[in-house]
Amino acid sequence: MFFAKILNYIRLAIAYVRLNWLSHIEYRNAFYIEAAGMFLNNVIWLVFWVYFFKAFPTVPTWTSSDVITLWAISAAGWGIAFVIFGNCRFLANIISTGQLDAWMLYPRHLLSHLILGKMKPSAFGDMVFGFAMYLFFVRPDFPHLALFCILTVSVAILFTGFSIVAGSLSFFLGNAESLALHLEFAMICFCTYPAPIFEGRIRWLLYTVLPALFVSYYPIEALRNLSIEQALYAFAGSLAFASIAVYVFYFGLKRYESGNLTVMRG
Amino acid sequence: MAIKVENLTKQFILNKRDGWRSIKTEVLAVDSINFSVNSGQSLALIGPNGAGKSTTIKMLTGILHPSAGQAKVLGLTPWRERTRLAYQIGAVFGQRSQLWYHLPPEDTFELLSRIYNLDRNQYKEQRNLLIERFDLGPFLKTPVRKLSLGQRMRAEIAASLLHKPRLLFLDEPTIGVDIVARQELRDLIREWNKQDGVTVLITSHDAGDIEHVADRVIVINHGHIVLDDNLSNMRQRYLSSKILSARFHGEHKTVDLHGAKVLQSANYSIEVEIDTSVVTTEKVIKHILELGTIADISIEDPPLEEIIAHIYSQPVTNNDSSTHT
């Protein structure tokens, strides 16, 4: 029963990804430019960080390979999250403008259905960048590559959960569109710094409010040591945060005020 | 019974700003309304903007929780069993589209088949039926953004019928649509209601929609039901005037009769509003026949818009009209 539900949801997710893909490639030039632009943007940042670490080895235990792994897993996780669950990033707007109504008319669980609704074209660039960088520059063996692929799922779950929490702030603040955007930028920013540079209270902050260490610490440690235990910690953190996100969304939903805005899909 | 509503109430709390202070105000959007709708019936829920009809529909579809009262839609409590109910209802919002703007309608149909978990064979059968009945073939593969509004609304209504709903909610389905396309849409809705037995609940500001689609009308204003009756009874109840138009072979004399007000007068024609509470229609016809040699004469009810406007302008009382099924 449970697996049948999961399979059913995967089928639905595939149908949404297909439709979103078709919708975006109606304007294929714009789509490819946006995806390629994001790829290039990531490359520039990565080159900067690799040179920075070579010039200033501030984290002695970290090599340029770790920096590439960190960027690769962050980008791939981010990409997977918003290729599939891209509507998370519009959640604050959907709530504040009363557009949840349309989603409530479908016979699906609201949140899990709603987040499938849109795709971020730039997320494709991130996803391709993440896997390409890891394959070409880290040159992993099969176990490392397999673990990397599994951990990108954990990172994607975390980013999706964080985006849901950020967007759900609109339930409590009225319009949290800008705040959600800033929080997401802060999250991705902290995720791309090596975890060892953060200590003390900041580290606790990065386990809780901005849970970046479940991207920049446990997955990297898991890949460095090929450690299943560290990978499980990463998954546990991501799933815990995703559970909190679901709770926050449905708690906030009780405060939802519907609207009558004119909108078109896709 | 498709819908049964008992003392349904919705109260919103609005925060009003007074300088730095925030003042909470309670607004009663829907005030203890009662009505029921039989299966297969076609009901128009009308009222001016802000009357409470959209709030009522949102409660009946499970979008909003009521502040008090009960409602059963197809035997289910909408706000508690929203997901189960969604399999059995369809909804069309004239101002909201469920079609994907950059893609052809057939792609949205495919997605909807996944959302509603439709059996592949049953889906294809229903889709083909809808393509034929709604004449979607010529634009099924055209991106929605390139369709006329009339074509889009046809596809929109077809999309809402893909999962064979037993109850269809239509919120201003003809808004912005031209007169020919509007008539086509009304015919299609009517046909689906009569032939397939789908219960229809329509809201519209267009009197034509109500006249052509609905068997029964509920007028809601300031959160109260101010009228619940069928269309012909509504006309009789609120009509105290008729419009008489006459054409003459030659010039005619002037109208001089208490209760007959001249609306338009030309050399060979005249239009008179008859106040039936003052003078009988028969008496006015006799008087008109004496004015000259008649070439043609007709008597009509005033447009439905005028009746509706008259109902909207009535003062609100706290008593709902009796429940009507």
Side-chain angles (χ1 to χ4, degrees), chain A residues 8 11-12 15-16 18-20 22-23 26-27 98 101-102 104-108 110 113 117 258-266, chain B residues 13 58 61 63-64 82-83 86-87 91 93 95-103 107 110-112 114-117 143-145 152:
Chain A
N8 185 283
R11 275 202 209 105
L12 181 68
Y16 265 104
R18 177 184 163 270
L19 230 65
N20 272 311
L22 291 174
S23 184
E26 270 288 301
Y27 303 95
D101 295 12
M104 288 187 187
L105 292 168
Y106 293 118
R108 292 279 180 172
L110 181 60
H113 183 209
S258 73
N260 50 11
L261 193 74
T262 305
V263 283
M264 285 291 297
R265 294 283 298 275
Chain B
I13 294 176
K58 282 173 185 173
T61 49
I63 293 172
L64 287 176
R82 182 183 60 78
T83 312
Y87 279 110
F93 293 97
Q95 299 191 57
R96 261 193 198 136
S97 179
Q98 63 173 335
L99 300 172
W100 286 55
Y101 188 60
H102 297 297
L103 297 176
D107 284 332
E110 186 62 33
L111 179 71
L112 288 169
R114 298 288 178 196
I115 293 173
Y116 285 95
N117 282 320
V144 170
R145 66 175 186 277
R152 183 166 78 71

XYZ file of all heavy atoms in Angstrom, chain A residues 8 11-12 15-16 18-20 22-23 26-27 98 101-102 104-108 110 113 117 258-266, chain B residues 13 58 61 63-64 82-83 86-87 91 93 95-103 107 110-112 114-117 143-145 152:
540
model
N 2.845 5.857 -7.142
C 1.838 6.743 -7.718
C 2.332 8.193 -7.709
O 2.188 8.937 -8.677
C 0.544 6.600 -6.893
C -0.582 7.389 -7.489
O -0.633 8.599 -7.350
N -1.479 6.705 -8.166
N 4.994 8.720 -10.312
C 4.364 8.872 -11.638
C 3.844 10.297 -11.830
O 4.016 10.900 -12.877
C 3.208 7.885 -11.793
C 3.651 6.533 -12.268
C 2.483 5.784 -12.907
N 2.686 4.377 -12.732
C 2.015 3.621 -11.852
N 1.067 4.143 -11.106
N 2.276 2.351 -11.733
N 3.235 10.822 -10.784
C 2.706 12.186 -10.851
C 3.854 13.186 -11.011
O 3.772 14.117 -11.826
C 1.895 12.508 -9.582
C 1.263 13.894 -9.534
C 0.152 14.023 -10.573
C 0.685 14.190 -8.151
N 5.074 13.180 -14.470
C 4.133 13.885 -15.359
C 4.324 15.400 -15.238
O 4.306 16.109 -16.251
C 2.698 13.504 -14.989
N 4.551 15.894 -14.013
C 4.765 17.338 -13.819
C 6.097 17.781 -14.425
O 6.171 18.826 -15.078
C 4.726 17.688 -12.330
C 3.364 18.161 -11.874
C 2.531 17.335 -11.151
C 2.907 19.437 -12.182
C 1.274 17.763 -10.734
C 1.655 19.868 -11.776
C 0.847 19.026 -11.050
O -0.406 19.457 -10.652
N 7.699 16.432 -16.836
C 7.551 16.393 -18.293
C 6.830 17.654 -18.792
O 7.277 18.316 -19.729
C 6.754 15.143 -18.684
C 6.484 15.037 -20.160
C 5.618 13.837 -20.520
N 5.074 14.012 -21.851
C 3.921 14.606 -22.113
N 3.179 15.070 -21.128
N 3.503 14.741 -23.351
N 5.734 17.995 -18.117
C 4.956 19.149 -18.554
C 5.726 20.453 -18.354
O 5.690 21.341 -19.209
C 3.632 19.197 -17.771
C 2.419 19.353 -18.664
C 2.256 18.132 -19.540
C 1.162 19.564 -17.850
N 6.427 20.537 -17.226
C 7.231 21.734 -16.978
C 8.335 21.868 -18.014
O 8.623 22.958 -18.496
C 7.853 21.659 -15.577
C 6.933 22.244 -14.520
O 6.432 23.347 -14.692
N 6.690 21.514 -13.459
N 8.314 20.616 -21.096
C 7.691 21.001 -22.370
C 7.315 22.483 -22.368
O 7.481 23.184 -23.373
C 6.428 20.158 -22.630
C 6.641 18.685 -22.930
C 5.298 17.958 -23.004
C 7.398 18.502 -24.239
N 6.820 22.948 -21.223
C 6.406 24.342 -21.106
C 7.605 25.276 -21.256
O 7.520 26.308 -21.923
C 5.731 24.538 -19.737
O 5.234 25.820 -19.620
N 9.164 25.510 -24.857
C 8.413 26.312 -25.825
C 9.227 27.561 -26.163
O 9.121 28.112 -27.235
C 7.069 26.736 -25.221
C 5.922 25.781 -25.445
C 5.424 25.756 -26.873
O 5.006 26.799 -27.393
O 5.470 24.658 -27.464
N 10.009 28.016 -25.191
C 10.922 29.154 -25.405
C 12.332 28.627 -25.150
O 12.964 28.978 -24.162
C 10.578 30.295 -24.452
C 9.152 30.759 -24.590
C 8.149 30.255 -23.762
C 8.797 31.675 -25.582
C 6.840 30.659 -23.915
C 7.483 32.079 -25.739
C 6.511 31.565 -24.897
O 5.208 31.968 -25.045
N -3.152 34.266 -2.124
C -4.355 33.432 -2.025
C -4.513 32.428 -3.150
O -5.622 32.029 -3.481
N -5.979 28.180 -3.225
C -7.349 27.705 -3.517
C -7.373 26.677 -4.641
O -7.988 25.622 -4.524
C -8.246 28.869 -3.955
C -8.458 29.874 -2.866
O -7.741 29.806 -1.861
O -9.342 30.727 -3.028
N -6.717 27.060 -5.748
C -6.758 26.202 -6.937
C -6.184 24.823 -6.641
O -6.676 23.813 -7.149
C -5.981 26.867 -8.061
N -6.236 23.312 -3.781
C -7.085 22.569 -2.837
C -8.227 21.851 -3.539
O -8.926 21.059 -2.920
C -7.671 23.540 -1.816
C -6.652 24.043 -0.838
S -7.514 24.993 0.402
C -6.171 25.653 1.321
N -8.435 22.150 -4.795
C -9.541 21.505 -5.514
C -9.143 20.152 -6.098
O -9.964 19.462 -6.682
C -10.033 22.426 -6.640
C -10.721 23.715 -6.161
C -10.896 24.680 -7.303
C -12.067 23.385 -5.535
N -7.874 19.806 -5.953
C -7.413 18.522 -6.502
C -7.386 17.431 -5.422
O -7.122 17.723 -4.257
C -6.017 18.675 -7.112
C -5.996 19.546 -8.338
C -5.256 20.725 -8.373
C -6.719 19.205 -9.477
C -5.240 21.530 -9.500
C -6.710 20.004 -10.600
C -5.964 21.159 -10.605
O -5.955 21.955 -11.722
N -7.605 16.191 -5.845
C -7.665 15.104 -4.855
C -6.274 14.590 -4.460
O -5.990 13.404 -4.568
C -8.454 14.024 -5.597
C -8.117 14.238 -7.032
C -7.894 15.714 -7.207
N -5.428 15.494 -4.060
C -4.074 15.118 -3.669
C -3.725 15.818 -2.371
O -4.297 16.853 -2.049
C -3.080 15.584 -4.754
C -3.225 14.824 -6.055
C -2.516 13.505 -5.947
N -2.625 12.726 -7.170
C -1.952 11.593 -7.361
N -1.148 11.126 -6.435
N -2.099 10.910 -8.471
N -2.141 18.341 -0.230
C -1.888 19.694 -0.724
C -0.406 19.999 -0.949
O 0.001 20.359 -2.052
C -2.509 20.711 0.258
C -2.358 22.166 -0.130
C -3.017 22.445 -1.465
C -2.961 23.060 0.944
N 1.636 17.873 -3.540
C 1.181 18.138 -4.903
C 1.614 19.530 -5.358
O 2.170 19.707 -6.439
C -0.344 17.998 -4.960
C -0.906 18.169 -6.333
N -2.166 18.647 -6.547
C -0.372 17.950 -7.560
C -2.389 18.710 -7.842
N -1.314 18.288 -8.478
N 4.393 21.835 -8.836
C 3.755 22.670 -9.860
C 4.655 23.420 -10.809
O 4.248 23.735 -11.923
N -8.064 32.787 1.662
C -8.050 32.573 0.218
C -8.186 33.898 -0.515
O -8.491 34.925 0.055
C -9.171 31.623 -0.175
O -10.394 32.276 -0.084
N -7.945 33.837 -1.812
C -8.001 35.057 -2.624
C -8.752 34.828 -3.915
O -9.270 33.751 -4.164
N -8.811 35.861 -4.750
C -9.499 35.702 -6.041
C -8.688 36.315 -7.173
O -9.216 36.999 -8.027
C -10.903 36.294 -5.988
C -10.908 37.686 -5.430
O -9.847 38.270 -5.284
N -12.070 38.207 -5.134
N -7.383 36.048 -7.135
C -6.502 36.579 -8.163
C -6.695 35.827 -9.480
O -6.941 34.640 -9.495
C -5.050 36.413 -7.691
C -3.985 37.165 -8.449
C -4.037 38.643 -8.122
C -2.623 36.609 -8.102
N -6.572 36.542 -10.593
C -6.650 35.903 -11.908
C -5.290 35.309 -12.251
O -4.298 36.022 -12.253
C -7.015 36.949 -12.980
O -8.210 37.585 -12.571
C -7.185 36.319 -14.333
N -5.239 34.010 -12.514
C -3.941 33.385 -12.825
C -4.066 32.345 -13.931
O -5.125 31.787 -14.166
C -3.302 32.670 -11.602
C -2.681 33.649 -10.660
C -4.293 31.801 -10.897
N -2.942 32.098 -14.599
C -2.849 31.022 -15.590
C -1.763 30.074 -15.139
O -0.811 30.481 -14.487
C -2.478 31.580 -16.966
C -3.569 32.284 -17.703
S -4.898 31.211 -18.276
C -4.078 30.115 -19.408
N -1.895 28.808 -15.500
C -0.886 27.814 -15.138
C 0.250 27.801 -16.147
O 0.090 28.185 -17.287
C -1.515 26.419 -15.111
C -2.534 26.230 -14.033
C -1.869 26.030 -12.680
N -1.053 24.854 -12.647
C -1.525 23.638 -12.384
N -2.786 23.457 -12.157
N -0.714 22.616 -12.345
N 1.392 27.247 -15.681
C 2.514 26.927 -16.569
C 3.161 28.118 -17.216
O 3.731 28.013 -18.277
N -11.838 37.838 10.287
C -11.351 38.923 11.151
C -10.399 39.781 10.329
O -9.401 39.285 9.791
C -10.659 38.364 12.405
C -11.718 37.637 13.260
C -9.993 39.481 13.210
C -11.207 36.950 14.475
N -16.441 28.369 -1.677
C -15.162 27.905 -1.118
C -15.388 26.966 0.070
O -14.626 26.027 0.273
C -14.293 29.099 -0.722
C -13.634 29.735 -1.935
C -12.915 31.002 -1.611
C -12.390 31.639 -2.894
N -11.815 32.954 -2.643
N -16.511 23.580 -1.376
C -15.466 22.801 -2.053
C -14.341 22.411 -1.085
O -13.375 21.767 -1.495
C -14.867 23.592 -3.241
O -14.528 24.898 -2.789
C -15.827 23.691 -4.389
N -12.310 24.479 0.549
C -11.177 25.417 0.598
C -11.176 26.167 1.930
O -10.129 26.369 2.534
C -11.236 26.404 -0.594
C -10.990 25.654 -1.910
C -10.232 27.532 -0.431
C -11.215 26.470 -3.160
N -12.353 26.568 2.390
C -12.449 27.305 3.646
C -13.217 26.491 4.697
O -14.162 25.774 4.344
C -13.183 28.633 3.427
C -12.445 29.738 2.682
C -13.367 30.934 2.489
C -11.185 30.176 3.409
N -11.929 16.820 2.097
C -11.662 17.565 0.866
C -11.124 16.671 -0.258
O -11.587 16.726 -1.385
C -10.657 18.690 1.170
C -10.338 19.570 -0.006
C -9.278 20.600 0.360
N -8.014 20.023 0.793
C -7.099 19.520 -0.021
N -7.302 19.521 -1.322
N -5.985 19.006 0.448
N -10.154 15.818 0.072
C -9.520 14.999 -0.950
C -10.511 14.012 -1.567
O -10.562 13.864 -2.788
C -8.318 14.238 -0.344
O -7.538 15.172 0.393
C -7.464 13.614 -1.410
N -12.926 15.879 -3.765
C -12.339 16.408 -5.001
C -12.442 15.428 -6.172
O -12.503 15.840 -7.328
C -10.878 16.778 -4.756
N -12.480 14.111 -5.874
C -12.647 13.121 -6.949
C -14.027 13.222 -7.590
O -14.230 12.772 -8.710
C -12.476 11.704 -6.387
C -11.037 11.275 -6.237
C -10.471 11.121 -4.978
C -10.241 11.011 -7.344
C -9.159 10.716 -4.824
C -8.923 10.606 -7.204
C -8.391 10.465 -5.948
O -7.083 10.069 -5.811
N -14.519 21.874 -10.996
C -14.660 23.312 -10.753
C -14.056 24.089 -11.907
O -12.975 23.747 -12.399
C -13.981 23.691 -9.446
N -13.252 28.086 -12.842
C -13.243 29.483 -12.427
C -12.882 30.325 -13.645
O -11.806 30.145 -14.217
C -12.215 29.715 -11.309
C -12.579 29.023 -10.029
C -12.043 27.787 -9.716
C -13.486 29.594 -9.152
C -12.388 27.132 -8.542
C -13.834 28.947 -7.978
C -13.293 27.722 -7.670
N -11.921 33.164 -13.855
C -10.745 34.025 -13.687
C -9.497 33.221 -13.316
O -8.462 33.806 -13.024
C -11.028 35.058 -12.601
C -12.194 35.945 -12.985
C -12.318 37.127 -12.063
O -11.388 37.892 -11.918
N -13.471 37.273 -11.456
N -9.624 31.910 -13.286
C -8.474 31.066 -12.954
C -8.449 29.913 -13.914
O -9.464 29.263 -14.102
C -8.629 30.510 -11.542
C -7.861 31.268 -10.553
C -7.785 30.506 -9.262
N -7.406 31.440 -8.227
C -7.949 31.508 -7.035
N -8.896 30.677 -6.720
N -7.533 32.365 -6.166
N -7.292 29.648 -14.468
C -7.233 28.576 -15.448
C -6.488 27.381 -14.892
O -5.503 27.537 -14.175
C -6.524 29.075 -16.698
O -6.446 28.045 -17.636
N -6.958 26.193 -15.216
C -6.166 25.017 -14.843
C -5.415 24.478 -16.056
O -4.690 23.509 -15.956
C -7.031 23.941 -14.200
C -8.109 23.346 -15.053
C -8.771 22.170 -14.328
O -8.189 21.533 -13.470
N -10.013 21.896 -14.681
N -5.603 25.151 -17.204
C -4.857 24.761 -18.404
C -3.471 25.393 -18.356
O -3.325 26.520 -17.898
C -5.582 25.239 -19.656
C -6.991 24.705 -19.886
C -7.640 25.418 -21.053
C -6.963 23.209 -20.138
N -2.490 24.680 -18.867
C -1.125 25.210 -18.883
C -0.998 26.162 -20.071
O -1.219 25.777 -21.217
C -0.097 24.067 -18.960
C 0.019 23.346 -17.652
C -0.998 22.767 -16.952
C 1.200 23.166 -16.876
N -0.525 22.237 -15.780
C 0.817 22.456 -15.708
C 2.532 23.520 -17.036
C 1.733 22.096 -14.730
C 3.445 23.156 -16.064
C 3.049 22.459 -14.925
N -0.629 27.382 -19.773
C -0.682 28.487 -20.732
C 0.159 28.243 -21.986
O -0.261 28.568 -23.085
C -0.196 29.752 -20.012
C -0.366 31.026 -20.796
C -1.620 31.448 -21.213
C 0.737 31.812 -21.116
C -1.779 32.621 -21.911
C 0.583 32.990 -21.816
C -0.674 33.384 -22.208
O -0.819 34.549 -22.908
N 1.342 27.666 -21.826
C 2.241 27.518 -22.972
C 2.080 26.178 -23.688
O 2.783 25.903 -24.646
C 3.697 27.678 -22.523
C 3.985 29.038 -21.970
N 3.881 30.177 -22.732
C 4.332 29.438 -20.729
C 4.165 31.234 -21.984
N 4.434 30.806 -20.767
N 1.178 25.340 -23.189
C 1.047 23.996 -23.754
C -0.354 23.767 -24.324
O -1.310 24.439 -23.922
C 1.333 22.951 -22.675
C 2.745 22.968 -22.096
C 2.865 21.957 -20.975
C 3.787 22.686 -23.164
N -2.100 18.276 -23.332
C -1.074 18.013 -22.320
C -1.652 18.169 -20.914
O -1.327 17.403 -20.003
C 0.124 18.953 -22.502
C 0.996 18.535 -23.673
O 1.019 17.331 -23.989
O 1.636 19.401 -24.286
N -3.700 15.177 -20.034
C -2.844 14.049 -19.657
C -2.419 14.174 -18.190
O -2.464 13.194 -17.430
C -1.611 14.048 -20.583
C -0.679 12.875 -20.430
C -1.323 11.528 -20.753
O -2.198 11.484 -21.623
O -0.936 10.542 -20.097
N -2.033 15.388 -17.803
C -1.636 15.606 -16.412
C -2.811 15.352 -15.465
O -2.656 14.701 -14.419
C -1.110 17.031 -16.218
C -0.699 17.369 -14.779
C 0.574 16.637 -14.391
C -0.499 18.860 -14.593
N -3.977 15.860 -15.853
C -5.155 15.678 -14.991
C -5.490 14.201 -14.814
O -5.940 13.783 -13.745
C -6.362 16.433 -15.575
C -6.286 17.960 -15.462
C -7.378 18.617 -16.292
C -6.394 18.404 -14.010
N -3.420 11.918 -14.502
C -2.499 11.424 -13.454
C -2.932 11.952 -12.083
O -2.879 11.227 -11.089
C -1.063 11.895 -13.738
C -0.499 11.369 -15.038
C -0.181 9.910 -14.952
N 0.317 9.371 -16.215
C 0.381 8.092 -16.508
N -0.028 7.186 -15.633
N 0.850 7.683 -17.661
N -3.332 13.214 -12.044
C -3.738 13.800 -10.759
C -4.946 13.047 -10.191
O -5.013 12.769 -8.999
C -4.065 15.305 -10.931
C -2.794 16.094 -11.272
C -4.717 15.889 -9.669
C -3.026 17.552 -11.622
N -5.902 12.708 -11.081
C -7.123 12.036 -10.616
C -6.997 10.513 -10.634
O -7.984 9.817 -10.420
C -8.317 12.479 -11.473
C -8.789 13.881 -11.145
C -8.335 14.972 -11.865
C -9.668 14.109 -10.094
C -8.746 16.267 -11.561
C -10.089 15.388 -9.787
C -9.628 16.461 -10.522
O -10.039 17.730 -10.216
N -5.790 10.005 -10.932
C -5.559 8.551 -10.961
C -6.564 7.833 -11.851
O -7.158 6.822 -11.444
C -5.684 7.966 -9.552
C -4.455 8.233 -8.736
O -3.342 8.154 -9.249
N -4.654 8.568 -7.477
N -1.134 25.541 -28.481
C -0.874 26.073 -27.130
C -2.015 26.977 -26.664
O -2.567 27.746 -27.462
C 0.420 26.877 -27.302
C 1.090 26.261 -28.473
C -0.008 25.809 -29.390
N -2.338 26.882 -25.403
C -3.487 27.613 -24.840
C -3.357 29.116 -25.077
O -4.340 29.803 -25.309
C -3.618 27.284 -23.332
C -4.621 28.180 -22.646
C -4.008 25.820 -23.160
N -2.119 29.626 -25.039
C -1.936 31.073 -25.205
C -2.409 31.560 -26.576
O -2.660 32.742 -26.771
C -0.467 31.458 -24.984
C 0.486 30.922 -26.018
C 1.919 31.444 -25.814
N 2.777 31.028 -26.910
C 3.374 29.851 -26.998
N 3.193 28.970 -26.038
N 4.130 29.553 -28.031
N -10.719 28.592 -25.143
C -10.057 28.253 -23.882
C -11.082 27.794 -22.843
O -10.864 26.805 -22.149
C -9.275 29.458 -23.350
C -8.517 29.149 -22.079
C -7.503 30.212 -21.756
N -8.036 31.408 -21.165
C -8.513 31.504 -19.923
N -8.566 30.449 -19.146
N -8.951 32.650 -19.470
